[in-house]
Amino acid sequence: MEKKDEDLILNLLDREPELRRCYEEHLVLERQLGMLNHKHYLTPEEELEKKRLQKIKLAGKDKMMDILAQHRSP
């Protein structure tokens, strides 16, 4: 995510509850993925979980970008 997007998100968190929810979920998913990425070997179950978390994170990021686009448009 670009710095300007992050700045806009932080400015809008208090006014946009859906953005806040997506952003907080994004941070949790980043931490969970970080823990999986630090492992030297993932079990097949962990690989599936990693892919599942990545899909959820991407969907949340898309939602955040949609919200940001609404605030960028005049």
Side-chain angles (χ1 to χ4, degrees):
M1 193 175 311
E2 292 184 25
K3 176 75 171 132
K4 65 181 180 178
D5 290 337
E6 288 184 39
D7 291 342
L8 183 55
I9 288 171
L10 294 176
N11 287 330
L12 294 172
L13 285 179
D14 291 334
R15 294 181 284 167
E16 291 288 338
E18 180 67 10
L19 180 62
R20 175 179 287 282
R21 186 194 64 72
C22 290
Y23 184 70
E24 289 172 352
E25 180 181 60
H26 183 82
L27 294 177
V28 169
L29 292 168
E30 272 189 350
R31 275 184 254 133
Q32 291 174 334
L33 285 167
M35 290 186 326
L36 288 172
N37 287 332
H38 279 93
K39 290 188 170 190
H40 293 284
Y41 173 79
L42 296 178
T43 65
E45 293 82 14
E46 289 170 327
E47 284 287 347
L48 285 175
E49 179 66 2
K50 180 180 174 182
K51 290 188 185 313
R52 185 184 76 80
L53 294 174
Q54 288 171 327
K55 287 179 184 179
I56 294 169
K57 184 179 170 196
L58 182 58
K61 185 176 179 182
D62 289 344
K63 178 68 176 166
M64 285 191 293
M65 292 298 120
D66 289 344
I67 294 169
L68 292 181
Q70 293 171 4
H71 287 277
R72 286 192 192 115
S73 300

